[in-house]
Amino acid sequence: MKQRITVLGSTGSIGTSTLDVVARHPDRFEVFALSAATQVDLMLEQCVRLRPRFAAMASAPHARLLAEKIEQNRLPTLVLQAPDAIEIIASHPEVDAVMAAIVGAAGLAPCLAAARAGKRLLLANKEALVVGGEVFLRAVREGGATLLPIDSEHSAIFQSLPEDPSTWQRRVEKIILTASGGPFRQRDPESLRAVTPGEACAHPNWVMGRKISVDSATMMNKALEVIEARYLFGLAPRQLDVVIHPQSIIHSMVQYRDTSVVAQLGTPDMRVPIAYGLAWPERVESGAAALDFHALSAMTFEAIDDHGHPDRFPGLRLAWEALEAAPGTTAVLNAANEVAVAAFLEGCIRFDQIHALNLETLSTVTPSNPDSLEDLLALDAQARATAQRIALQLAS
């Protein structure tokens, strides 16, 4: 039988790449439901092409507009307009797998719904773990869900680990996440005051959305990935390391107790980890170009503090500090960073003030060991309000 897929965030880069892979295997996969935030026209095009049973938009006005267009085109898709529409399509009894590609903390509630419903959950939304932490992992365990990482780094680690998770603690020395270094790897930190949103979004290797592109430029994306790796693979924070690899050919590595290193390599194309997650434990054609070793001129590696600037990426250190702090601190960090990046993209603060805003929010908000979705959402709201106040102060 075909695997029925719900794609959350279908109009984003991960969502469109997922639909590309699905379209290559019509005998294996079918799209059951789609969700998006505001891109009504692209969602309509996807509904025309894929004819899902359900579609959901993040806001009621966008849902009503989509419903009008669906009716005009006489499509069979039902547009859901309930406040919990995205959770409904994530946990629907007829859904086999959920691609969770909603950016930011907004993806937490539908991820929890899919986990509790025991779905195969393809996690491209790192915030589900960064914000949800143990609350999210408990939902995965209790719901009997299968959690598969889709971020290229975490998929690489998953592919490089032994199949039996019970052996990871005794066999693995550490995990090494690779980072491209982003567009400002070799820039003088003093020059970053003048960085524009356009410059920050121009990633040298990957085609990504604006928020994650800025996170890559500050290396906050890697900080969030360190936190995600801690929860995904159950290793101690001291067993998590980061190395800069500008070519983005090695996507991440696992070093074992005997010092052997196992790595996953490939071209920088998100369709590879997406195809792996969709077909796991099998492998299917992804549409990505094969790696040509004859054409590789070099693969290089750098320490995070190379080029004589130990504070080039100050936000990266916050990952280990947040993991060692009180439960909920990682959720505060994520909320602050979402506000900071939005403020930068809107021209309200400078690029080099993103870290200052994150740091000030962490020092101001004291988490209270959140133990439920309601607790997490309350903490997220508190952290966002604090971060927004700090952003206004920095902008004045």
Side-chain angles (χ1 to χ4, degrees):
M1 293 181 62
K2 292 182 182 180
Q3 190 177 162
R4 289 160 296 195
I5 313 292
T6 285
V7 181
L8 306 179
S10 67
T11 59
S13 59
I14 296 294
T16 55
S17 293
T18 300
L19 297 181
D20 180 83
V21 175
V22 166
R24 293 171 186 275
H25 303 280
D27 58 323
R28 299 182 63 108
F29 310 115
E30 66 176 272
V31 175
F32 182 82
L34 301 172
S35 85
T38 61
Q39 295 192 61
V40 172
D41 289 339
L42 180 52
M43 172 65 91
L44 176 65
E45 185 275 324
Q46 291 176 347
C47 290
V48 169
R49 180 162 47 92
L50 300 165
R51 295 181 174 264
R53 187 182 304 182
F54 298 108
M57 303 298 292
S59 72
H62 290 97
R64 286 193 293 270
L65 181 58
L66 178 63
E68 292 172 5
K69 292 178 179 288
I70 291 285
E71 184 176 358
Q72 291 167 5
N73 284 268
R74 298 184 178 181
L75 298 176
T77 302
L78 176 64
V79 179
L80 300 180
Q81 300 188 40
D84 58 348
I86 300 177
E87 289 97 308
I88 290 172
I89 63 172
S91 58
H92 196 283
E94 295 183 49
V95 169
D96 301 305
V98 176
M99 171 60 74
I102 296 175
V103 176
L108 176 58
C111 282
L112 278 168
R116 289 167 179 155
K119 304 303 182 184
R120 174 188 286 233
L121 183 53
L122 312 180
L123 192 65
N125 172 287
K126 62 177 58 66
E127 290 81 7
L129 281 164
V130 173
V131 178
E134 292 298 333
V135 173
F136 178 69
L137 290 179
R138 185 170 69 235
V140 170
R141 290 192 301 268
E142 293 177 354
T146 300
L147 185 61
L148 298 171
I150 299 300
D151 274 352
S152 61
E153 295 82 0
H154 301 96
S155 176
I157 293 164
F158 184 67
Q159 294 179 59
S160 301
L161 284 166
E163 289 187 10
D164 184 358
S166 67
T167 69
W168 293 352
Q169 287 284 353
R170 71 172 186 271
R171 296 174 67 180
V172 174
E173 182 67 25
K174 65 178 177 178
I175 283 170
I176 306 168
L177 294 110
T178 57
S180 70
F184 309 133
R185 177 174 60 89
Q186 295 180 308
R187 286 237 333 224
D188 183 343
E190 291 297 321
S191 72
L192 299 181
R193 290 174 56 94
V195 163
T196 67
E199 291 175 311
C201 291
H203 195 280
N205 299 336
W206 298 90
V207 177
M208 305 182 295
R210 283 163 60 81
K211 194 269 181 184
I212 193 172
S213 294
V214 174
D215 282 346
S216 180
T218 62
M219 288 282 275
M220 181 52 66
N221 191 47
K222 204 56 51 178
L224 298 177
E225 287 174 7
V226 168
I227 295 168
E228 185 182 10
R230 162 69 182 90
Y231 287 115
L232 274 172
F233 306 116
L235 300 181
R238 61 177 174 76
Q239 292 178 282
L240 307 173
D241 200 1
V242 175
V243 64
I244 291 180
H245 170 48
Q247 295 79 24
S248 297
I249 299 299
I250 296 177
H251 297 305
S252 277
M253 301 169 271
V254 176
Q255 180 176 313
Y256 287 85
R257 300 289 185 185
D258 61 0
T259 72
S260 297
V261 176
V262 176
Q264 186 266 337
L265 288 69
T267 52
D269 190 322
M270 282 305 299
R271 289 177 296 179
V272 176
I274 289 169
Y276 182 73
L278 284 169
W280 180 86
E282 300 178 40
R283 291 183 184 264
V284 296
E285 189 265 333
S286 67
L291 192 61
D292 183 358
F293 285 93
H294 298 95
L296 289 178
S297 59
M299 288 196 294
T300 60
F301 304 90
E302 304 167 7
I304 294 298
D305 60 354
D306 267 3
H307 307 294
H309 295 294
D311 293 325
R312 179 181 302 279
F313 302 115
L316 182 58
R317 293 195 303 271
L318 296 179
W320 288 272
E321 294 175 11
L323 285 171
E324 299 288 0
T329 302
T330 58
V332 174
L333 174 60
N334 179 77
N337 186 63
E338 288 191 20
V339 170
V341 171
F344 165 68
L345 289 172
E346 293 165 4
C348 298
I349 65 172
R350 300 190 312 267
F351 179 83
D352 64 327
Q353 291 178 313
I354 293 175
H355 176 63
L357 191 156
N358 291 340
L359 205 59
E360 181 66 20
T361 304
L362 283 170
S363 66
T364 304
V365 178
T366 302
S368 55
N369 193 18
D371 193 46
S372 66
L373 175 60
E374 292 71 26
D375 291 347
L376 290 168
L377 293 178
L379 178 59
D380 179 78
Q382 179 190 3
R384 285 174 191 276
T386 301
Q388 287 164 353
R389 184 174 69 251
I390 295 168
L392 291 174
Q393 294 169 354
L394 291 172
S396 62

